[in-house]
Amino acid sequence: MTIKLFTLLLQAAISTLGISLISIAIGFVIAIILSAATLSHKSIYVVPARLFISFFRGVPLLVQLLLIYTLLPVIGINVPSIVAAIVGMSLCTAAYQAENLRGGFESVPRGLIEAAEVTGLSPRQTFFRIRVPIALRLTFPALINEAIMILKSSSLVSVVGIIEITKMAQDLASSTYLPIPIFASAALIYLVINSIVALIGRFAERSLGGAST
Amino acid sequence: MSLPAIAITKLVKRFGDSTVLQDIDLEIPEGKVSCLIGPSGSGKSTLLRCLAFLEEPTSGMITINGEALGFFEAPNGKRERLPPAQIRAVRAKTGMVFQQFNLWPHMTALGNVSEALKTVHKLPKGEAEARALAQLRKVGLENRANHYPSQLSGGQQQRVAIARALALEPKIMLFDEPTSALDPELTGEVLNVMRDLAAEGMTMVVVTHEIGFAATVAHQISFLDHGRLLFSGPPSEIFAKPRHPRLDQFLDTYLDRGASMLA
Ligand SMILES: Nc1ncnc2c1ncn2[C@@H]1O[C@H](COP(=O)(O)OP(=O)(O)OP(=O)(O)O)[C@@H](O)[C@H]1O
Ligand SMILES: [Mg+2]
């Protein structure tokens, strides 16, 4: 196991990190829309959002990625594999994050919203000043969990031809015949990344203050 | 005779099939303290929530300082909803304090009290916070301004909640069992703030099980039972014997430190 091999793994880690973080961010934006739709009580919004969420939570990410990768060219959209990977991961994490957010919005105590109402806040002000910040605090730990899940699941994007940590490790292992140090290094890199994410989460949670009422 | 602060006429509130308030008629004079008492489930909170327009009456009328709250009777006798701006203006005359305090956990005491001054009344941050701080001083919590609700005791949280309502300069304060969620040793500090407020001449409607507070501070006590206002009058009249059997029964069940003196 040389410095050179480890550097190659670290370079692949950039793909893992990049794809994961971009997907989590895009997924978060979609999740806000989805959760708003599921909470709207209007079936034209609720039904599509629920179908979307059920599909992306019910089908394995691997199958989703293969579907997107093979389906898009058939309907005439030729995308680089990196885009297919980000689309697949974003949609999948959006479904999970939407469920978290919905739970968060639903657990904002009604009394806090009534307090906003009696002090004259408009529904819009109540949403942005009271509901969103409290729901985000309530869902923050779940969001960090989801980020870690996505970082680990990102190994699946190798099926659409992306070289990330796991794929790089496999390639290096078969060309160098040093599988154990290489896979151990890959494991170590995942562990370090996810520990940092967890630490950031813990720190942010503390500085956001308790959401308990 | 000046206009009553609140006039309730023929108020009915139903939730689905169940009638929670039945033909309530009540006038609350300006500058007085009016206590609502009654057994659990008798409709006290619902009545108070109707006054804050957190519940919409099924029928009947509520006026605040002579202005209709939420609905008005059109000349043809139909009840119609007032435009939102007008509803907001009438609601702004009342401030509400909840049993569970309902402070926003992500804001400090100062943030809670200044929030509506900033977002609703569009005061500059500095001015809003100066006014909020003055209110916190009034409830004795100036030195807790930068604490989050989770860092405050229940009694302190409730005093912040009172300051939050007072900051908006309401004409009438509504309290729904403001001390019921507190440990007994913390009720005093909240009741004292309320006594001071009463002494300043604030019109107050207080749902309470603190019969002692009601007997000593209230000008008017109303007894609700199964959604009906059984009677209403000054404490001397309400507690005079012979009492209505339902009230006697109620006082037996809720006999607390203060009620013992009426026994
Ligand atoms: N949103 C609602 N939907 C249906 N029923 C309700 C609702 N709110 C209150 N009720 C019912 O109305 C009745 C009166 O409730 P309310 O909370 O006004 O009583 P209360 O006198 O304040 O009682 P407590 O002393 O326990 O606070 C109860 O039977 C309650 O179950
Ligand atoms: Mg109640």
Side-chain angles (χ1 to χ4, degrees):
Chain A
M1 181 77 196
T2 62
I3 303 277
K4 173 123 198 320
L5 291 178
F6 195 73
T7 314
L8 282 172
L9 277 177
L10 279 181
Q11 279 166 359
I14 294 175
S15 300
T16 294
L17 257 178
I19 291 176
S20 301
L21 296 185
I22 292 171
S23 301
I24 288 160
I26 297 176
F28 182 70
V29 175
I30 303 175
I32 289 189
I33 299 168
L34 283 173
S35 61
T38 55
L39 291 167
S40 70
H41 300 293
K42 295 195 182 108
S43 45
I44 48 161
Y45 299 128
V46 176
V47 173
R50 293 249 44 109
L51 284 175
F52 180 100
I53 292 169
S54 307
F55 178 83
F56 284 99
R57 293 209 314 167
V59 176
L61 179 57
L62 187 57
V63 177
Q64 287 169 32
L65 288 166
L66 289 169
L67 248 179
I68 288 167
Y69 192 54
T70 52
L71 201 67
L72 288 181
V74 172
I75 58 172
I77 309 172
N78 258 314
V79 294
S81 49
I82 180 102
V83 174
I86 289 176
V87 168
M89 299 243 298
S90 302
L91 296 180
C92 178
T93 184
Y96 283 95
Q97 292 188 45
E99 283 298 87
N100 289 341
L101 280 176
R102 185 176 64 92
F105 277 111
E106 283 177 346
S107 10
V108 175
R110 228 172 82 96
L112 300 186
I113 295 170
E114 291 183 344
E117 198 182 330
V118 297
T119 46
L121 270 69
S122 67
R124 198 189 148 81
Q125 289 168 334
T126 304
F127 185 76
F128 287 108
R129 302 281 308 166
I130 310 294
R131 288 192 80 171
V132 170
I134 296 174
L136 285 184
R137 276 165 182 76
L138 290 171
T139 50
F140 196 76
L143 180 66
I144 291 295
N145 262 345
E146 176 61 16
I148 291 171
M149 287 304 295
I150 279 295
L151 273 158
K152 292 192 291 181
S153 312
S154 68
S155 61
L156 297 173
V157 299
S158 61
V159 295
V160 298
I162 306 277
I163 315 262
E164 40 61 66
I165 302 175
T166 306
K167 176 69 171 142
M168 177 63 85
Q170 282 175 325
D171 291 354
L172 293 178
S174 59
S175 59
T176 60
Y177 304 104
L178 291 169
I180 291 172
I182 286 175
F183 287 130
S185 305
L188 184 71
I189 294 173
Y190 276 117
L191 189 62
V192 169
I193 292 175
N194 284 328
S195 302
I196 292 171
V197 171
L199 269 178
I200 292 173
R202 195 96 43 87
F203 179 77
E205 218 176 305
R206 198 168 315 150
S207 58
L208 286 173
S212 57
T213 45
Chain B
M1 178 74 210
S2 68
L3 218 52
I6 299 177
I8 305 167
T9 38
K10 291 213 164 28
L11 182 76
V12 175
K13 177 63 187 174
R14 291 192 196 98
F15 289 111
D17 288 342
S18 74
T19 303
V20 172
L21 294 174
Q22 181 77 52
D23 291 325
I24 306 287
D25 286 297
L26 183 64
E27 282 195 358
I28 292 160
E30 197 176 323
K32 307 286 180 193
V33 178
S34 178
C35 285
L36 294 175
I37 61 171
S40 183
S42 56
K44 304 179 297 293
S45 296
T46 307
L47 179 54
L48 201 73
R49 290 168 58 80
C50 284
L51 297 180
F53 208 58
L54 285 171
E55 303 287 356
E56 298 188 2
T58 309
S59 67
M61 271 286 281
I62 295 170
T63 62
I64 311 269
N65 286 340
E67 293 183 57
L69 174 65
F71 298 90
F72 73 107
E73 295 238 344
N76 61 9
K78 264 204 180 150
R79 207 169 72 123
E80 283 180 38
R81 212 188 159 83
L82 288 160
Q86 213 163 328
I87 295 182
R88 232 175 295 128
V90 179
R91 284 182 89 173
K93 293 174 191 289
T94 60
M96 172 113 176
V97 174
F98 301 86
Q99 185 175 356
Q100 299 297 335
F101 329 135
N102 292 344
L103 292 181
W104 300 307
H106 60 299
M107 296 179 187
T108 60
L110 191 69
N112 269 275
V113 181
S114 60
E115 176 62 21
L117 293 173
K118 288 184 288 198
T119 56
V120 183
H121 297 269
K122 311 286 183 209
L123 291 188
K125 191 167 184 261
E127 196 185 331
E129 292 187 345
R131 275 171 65 170
L133 204 58
Q135 287 303 335
L136 285 172
R137 189 175 308 130
K138 203 173 156 187
V139 298
L141 288 172
E142 199 183 4
N143 58 354
R144 294 285 187 278
N146 294 319
H147 285 56
Y148 284 89
S150 58
Q151 301 167 316
L152 298 173
S153 74
Q156 292 171 335
Q157 288 186 57
Q158 192 60 299
R159 281 147 67 200
V160 173
I162 293 173
R164 176 173 69 182
L166 289 176
L168 304 172
E169 300 178 346
K171 297 266 183 287
I172 301 164
M173 285 286 285
L174 309 171
F175 294 85
D176 190 0
E177 299 199 37
T179 58
S180 296
L182 299 177
D183 293 336
E185 69 271 21
L186 298 179
T187 60
E189 60 188 70
V190 172
L191 292 177
N192 282 338
V193 167
M194 293 170 64
R195 276 196 191 93
D196 291 347
L197 210 52
E200 287 172 23
M202 174 66 83
T203 309
M204 294 163 57
V205 185
V206 187
V207 172
T208 188
H209 285 152
E210 301 271 348
I211 305 296
F213 175 83
T216 53
V217 180
H219 302 93
Q220 178 191 52
I221 296 181
S222 305
F223 180 60
L224 273 175
D225 191 35
H226 291 298
R228 288 176 190 278
L229 192 65
L230 283 195
F231 46 79
S232 172
S236 55
E237 237 171 69
I238 292 281
F239 295 121
K241 289 183 174 176
R243 294 183 196 126
H244 191 289
R246 286 294 294 160
L247 178 59
D248 243 355
Q249 202 179 333
F250 169 75
L251 288 178
D252 275 351
T253 341
Y254 285 87
L255 205 69
D256 62 13
R257 298 174 304 281
S260 55
M261 68 191 217
L262 305 160

